[in-house]
Amino acid sequence: MKEKGRKAIATNRKARHHYSILDVYEAGIALVGTEVKSLREGKASLADAFATVDDGEIWLRGLHIPEYTQGSWTNHAPRRTRKLLLHKREIERLVGKVKEGSLTLVPLSMYFSDGKVKVELALAKGKQDYDKRQDLARRTAEREVTRELGRRIKGMR
């Protein structure tokens, strides 16, 4: 019997802070057996992960999946390069966009979808320091406005 729905494994919380997200793609990932078992335990880190384009294929680098505790000599290397699985048209579109501008491919999250491991991959542009400060100020202002509206509705002011 298949699993239904979406179960989160890991998220890259800093990605939306450091990058402006332009487009999001869902990609499969080529894994070995002990990697999947380790992911089922909920162990993975996307903190230093990024994707590159090599010879018309997209590879995920820097993803840390720790060794499976019950594994034997067949265990995987924790930071090996893993192939991302996308349709040919999507790969060609991504290759064109990455080569034409200062865009990069950043993994946002990793999850199980119907029993298969998927990666949410974003086409992103790096933010400058002043962009980060503007976003932080905007979010703070929005939070204060909603807080004040809540107070007025409750009749506190």
Side-chain angles (χ1 to χ4, degrees):
M1 191 166 169
K2 275 191 167 181
E3 293 179 25
K4 294 292 178 190
R6 188 170 160 162
K7 180 185 169 204
I9 300 168
T11 57
N12 190 349
R13 297 177 60 188
K14 289 285 188 177
R16 294 189 190 276
H17 177 70
H18 292 299
Y19 299 96
S20 296
I21 307 302
L22 304 176
D23 205 2
V24 178
Y25 296 89
E26 181 182 63
I29 184 167
L31 299 172
V32 295
T34 55
E35 289 175 324
V36 176
K37 290 179 179 184
S38 185
L39 289 175
R40 290 211 185 278
E41 293 178 349
K43 298 177 181 177
S45 174
L46 289 170
D48 301 327
F50 62 98
T52 59
V53 178
D54 297 331
D55 298 328
E57 295 179 337
I58 298 182
W59 298 87
L60 189 59
R61 302 179 190 277
L63 169 65
H64 184 264
I65 300 175
E67 289 185 349
Y68 182 54
T69 54
Q70 305 297 319
S72 61
W73 59 272
T74 60
N75 245 335
H76 63 277
R79 287 203 182 265
R80 73 178 189 92
T81 303
R82 296 164 178 95
K83 185 177 180 179
L84 292 179
L85 308 171
L86 290 159
H87 290 285
K88 188 174 181 177
R89 285 185 304 269
E90 289 177 327
I91 292 173
E92 289 169 356
R93 188 177 314 132
L94 286 172
V95 168
K97 288 183 179 181
V98 167
K99 285 187 179 179
E100 78 180 22
S102 59
L103 301 178
T104 186
L105 295 170
V106 180
L108 297 178
S109 66
M110 182 180 250
Y111 53 90
F112 282 106
S113 177
D114 295 332
K116 293 181 175 58
V117 179
K118 302 287 183 178
V119 176
E120 195 172 56
L121 191 66
L123 186 65
K125 183 176 176 131
K127 285 185 183 177
Q128 300 293 329
D129 285 337
Y130 58 86
D131 290 332
K132 294 177 191 176
R133 285 192 295 269
Q134 286 175 350
D135 284 349
L136 184 63
R138 181 181 43 78
R139 273 185 281 157
T140 305
E142 287 174 3
R143 193 175 310 121
E144 288 175 5
V145 167
T146 56
R147 196 175 294 152
E148 186 63 33
L149 286 173
R151 287 185 185 146
R152 287 196 180 177
I153 290 171
K154 292 177 184 175
M156 296 178 88
R157 278 192 179 178

